[in-house]
C-alpha cells in the first residue's frame, strides 16, 4: 500500500494512543489532526502498537481517486464509507477504506470524525473477539474494591451520574467503552465530551475546558477534573441501567437477569449497539460458522457477567447532594 501510494502524501503528525489493553498508532498528513482530541492517554512514539490508522486528507494531498479505488476494500463497510455514512448516525464526506492486515488506511476529507465514531469502536470490538472478551458501551467507576457499570439510553444521565460519583469520591474507570473478561472490567481511556447543562455549565464557564470538534461540545480530561488518574481495571460489583427522567418517580430497583440482558443486547453489546456485525463477519473471513461461534460465546460471556453482578434500574437526580450520597451508599454496600 505504501509502495503504491505512499509517495503521494507526507506524514505530518503521528501519535500512539493508549487504550489500556492495547495501543493504536494514528498517523495523518494533517499537522494538527483533530482526531487526537478524542483521547486522553498517549504512549511514546516507539511503543509497539496492535493497530495503525493512517488518515490521508485529500484536501491536503490531492490524490486521484482512480488510483485509490483499485486498492480499496470491498464489502458493506467500504461501500458505506464511499457513500459518506460511517457508523450508526455518524456521516460525512465520502471516504475510501483500505485495510492491510492490522493497518487501516482511510482517504477522504474531515477524517477526524471517523476516528472515534468508527475506528475506535471497530478496533475495540475486534480486539474483544480475538481475546475472548466483551466490548460494551458503558461508563464505569470504582468504590472500594468493586466497580459499577452504567448502561442506558442516549441522554439518559450516564455521564452526569459518572461525574457526580467521581466528584463525591469514587474513582473514575471509563466514560464510554469497557472491555470485560469474566468479572473483570478494563477501562478505555478517553476524553469526555460534555455540553453546557446543569452539571457542566459552571465548569465550562471557568474556562478550564477546551472546545471539542463540535461547537456545542467541550473536552474534559478525567484526570484533570477528578484529581486522580483513572484506574485501569476492577472487579464488577454492580451493573446499572441509568434512566434519569424528572417526570417519573425516582427508583432504585433490582432487575432480573433476563430483562437486563434484553436491554444490553441493543443498548450496550457493541456488535448490536453500533451495527458492527458486518465488520466482525469480515474480520472472521466471512465464515458463518466462526462468526456464529464467536458471537454466541461473546453473548454468553455478557450473560455470565450480568448474572454474577447486582443489577439495578436507577432514576435518581445525582445533582441533588442528598440523593447522590444516598444512591452511592447503596451501591457501595457489601
Amino acid at each position: 500500500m505504501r509502495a503504491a501510494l505512499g509517495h503521494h502524501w507526507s506524514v505530518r503528525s503521528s501519535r500512539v494512543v493508549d487504550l489500556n489493553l492495547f495501543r493504536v498508532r494514528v498517523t495523518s498528513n494533517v499537522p494538527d489532526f483533530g482526531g487526537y482530541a478524542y483521547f486522553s492517554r498517549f504512549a511514546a512514539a516507539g511503543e509497539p502498537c496492535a493497530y495503525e490508522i493512517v488518515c490521508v486528507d485529500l484536501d491536503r494531498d490531492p490524490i486521484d481517486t482512480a488510483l485509490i479505488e483499485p486498492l480499496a476494500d470491498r464489502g458493506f463497510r467500504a461501500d458505506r464509507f464511499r457513500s459518506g455514512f460511517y457508523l450508526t448516525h455518524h456521516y460525512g464526506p465520502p471516504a475510501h477504506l483500505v485495510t492491510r492486515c492490522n493497518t487501516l488506511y482511510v482517504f477522504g476529507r474531515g477524517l477526524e470524525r471517523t476516528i472515534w465514531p468508527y475506528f475506535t469502536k471497530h478496533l475495540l470490538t475486534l480486539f474483544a473477539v480475538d481475546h475472548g472478551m466483551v466490548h460494551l458501551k458503558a461508563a464505569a467507576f470504582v468504590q472500594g474494591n468493586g466497580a459499577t457499570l452504567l448502561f442506558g439510553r442516549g441522554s439518559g444521565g450516564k455521564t452526569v451520574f459518572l461525574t457526580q460519583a467521581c466528584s463525591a469520591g469514587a474513582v473514575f474507570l471509563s466514560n464510554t467503552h469497557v472491555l470485560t473478561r469474566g468479572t473483570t472490567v478494563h477501562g478505555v481511556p478517553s476524553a469526555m465530551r460534555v455540553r453546557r447543562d446543569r452539571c457542566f455549565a459552571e465548569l465550562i464557564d471557568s474556562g478550564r475546558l477546551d472546545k471539542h470538534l463540535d461547537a456545542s461540545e467541550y473536552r474534559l480530561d478525567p484526570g484533570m477534573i477528578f484529581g486522580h488518574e483513572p484506574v485501569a481495571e476492577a472487579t464488577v460489583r454492580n451493573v446499572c441501567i441509568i434512566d434519569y427522567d424528572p417526570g417519573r418517580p425516582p427508583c432504585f430497583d433490582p432487575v432480573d437477569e433476563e430483562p437486563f440482558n434484553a436491554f444490553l443486547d441493543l443498548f450496550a453489546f457493541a456488535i448490536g449497539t453500533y451495527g458492527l456485525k458486518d465488520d466482525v463477519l469480515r474480520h472472521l473471513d466471512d465464515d458463518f460458522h466462526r462468526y456464529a461461534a464467536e458471537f454466541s460465546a461473546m453473548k454468553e460471556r455478557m450473560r455470565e457477567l450480568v448474572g454474577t453482578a447486582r443489577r439495578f434500574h436507577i432514576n435518581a437526580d445525582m445533582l441533588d447532594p442528598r440523593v447522590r450520597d444516598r444512591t452511592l451508599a447503596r451501591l457501595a454496600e457489601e
Side-chain angles (χ1 to χ4, degrees):
M1 180 62 198
R2 293 185 189 274
L5 291 179
H7 61 285
H8 288 280
W9 81 84
S10 299
V11 173
R12 297 183 178 91
S13 65
S14 181
R15 301 195 72 177
V16 175
V17 175
D18 185 348
L19 294 179
N20 188 10
L21 292 184
F22 64 94
R23 298 180 181 92
V24 181
R25 185 180 309 280
V26 180
T27 300
S28 173
N29 65 335
V30 176
D32 53 348
F33 183 55
Y36 304 131
Y38 288 105
F39 305 104
S40 61
R41 187 185 301 170
F42 299 90
E47 288 291 321
C49 296
Y51 309 95
E52 182 176 11
I53 304 168
V54 180
C55 299
V56 181
D57 189 298
L58 297 180
D59 284 334
R60 187 64 191 241
D61 289 315
I63 303 174
D64 189 341
T65 55
L67 298 176
I68 303 170
E69 189 59 34
L71 304 170
D73 294 352
R74 297 291 181 264
F76 176 82
R77 188 62 58 198
D79 290 344
R80 299 295 255 177
F81 262 67
R82 286 187 189 91
S83 71
F85 182 91
Y86 307 141
L87 191 71
T88 59
H89 60 282
H90 299 285
Y91 55 89
H96 298 269
L97 285 177
V98 183
T99 304
R100 296 293 183 267
C101 298
N102 287 345
T103 300
L104 298 87
Y105 299 85
V106 58
F107 297 83
R109 295 169 175 82
L111 297 175
E112 62 276 5
R113 298 183 183 279
T114 67
I115 294 296
W116 186 260
Y118 174 69
F119 286 110
T120 303
K121 297 166 185 174
H122 172 81
L123 293 179
L124 286 169
T125 302
L126 299 192
F127 185 88
V129 169
D130 291 342
H131 293 82
M133 306 182 79
V134 183
H135 172 205
L136 297 171
K137 179 183 180 183
F141 61 85
V142 178
Q143 296 169 289
N145 294 320
T148 294
L149 303 188
L150 308 177
F151 305 102
R153 57 183 167 83
S155 301
K158 298 185 297 298
T159 300
V160 172
F161 198 110
L162 173 68
T163 303
Q164 292 303 303
C166 293
S167 297
V171 180
F172 183 94
L173 196 153
S174 201
N175 175 49
T176 306
H177 299 281
V178 299
L179 293 170
T180 68
R181 176 183 283 118
T183 59
T184 300
V185 57
H186 303 268
V188 176
S190 69
M192 298 172 67
R193 288 171 289 157
V194 300
R195 294 181 175 88
R196 184 181 299 278
D197 57 19
R198 289 175 58 207
C199 184
F200 299 107
E202 183 176 348
L203 188 58
I204 290 171
D205 290 339
S206 73
R208 298 171 65 193
L209 303 186
D210 295 329
K211 281 276 193 178
H212 207 275
L213 298 181
D214 291 335
S216 63
E217 292 184 338
Y218 292 80
R219 184 184 183 279
L220 188 157
D221 187 328
M224 177 188 76
I225 297 301
F226 302 128
H228 61 258
E229 285 301 310
V231 67
E233 64 180 66
T235 300
V236 177
R237 174 191 290 149
N238 306 304
V239 291
C240 304
I241 295 171
I242 306 304
D243 190 21
Y244 179 61
D245 184 344
R248 290 188 288 118
C251 68
F252 191 114
D253 298 331
V255 183
D256 290 337
E257 289 183 46
E258 184 175 351
F260 204 102
N261 280 312
F263 183 87
L264 295 196
D265 275 345
L266 292 178
F267 283 89
F269 186 66
I271 295 176
T273 299
Y274 298 124
L276 290 165
K277 58 187 183 298
D278 295 273
D279 305 73
V280 173
L281 181 61
R282 172 56 62 90
H283 178 66
L284 297 172
D285 300 323
D286 290 320
D287 186 319
F288 157 74
H289 297 286
R290 289 180 65 195
Y291 175 83
E294 292 291 349
F295 184 88
S296 298
M298 192 176 285
K299 289 291 291 292
E300 182 58 30
R301 291 193 288 270
M302 184 182 76
R303 286 192 289 267
E304 289 174 356
L305 173 68
V306 169
T308 58
R310 301 187 302 183
R311 302 169 300 277
F312 301 108
H313 172 227
I314 301 175
N315 179 13
D317 183 359
M318 294 295 284
L319 295 177
D320 182 326
R322 293 172 300 174
V323 173
R324 179 197 64 197
D325 293 346
R326 184 168 63 247
T327 301
L328 294 176
R330 292 189 65 179
L331 291 172
E333 292 173 355
E334 296 292 340

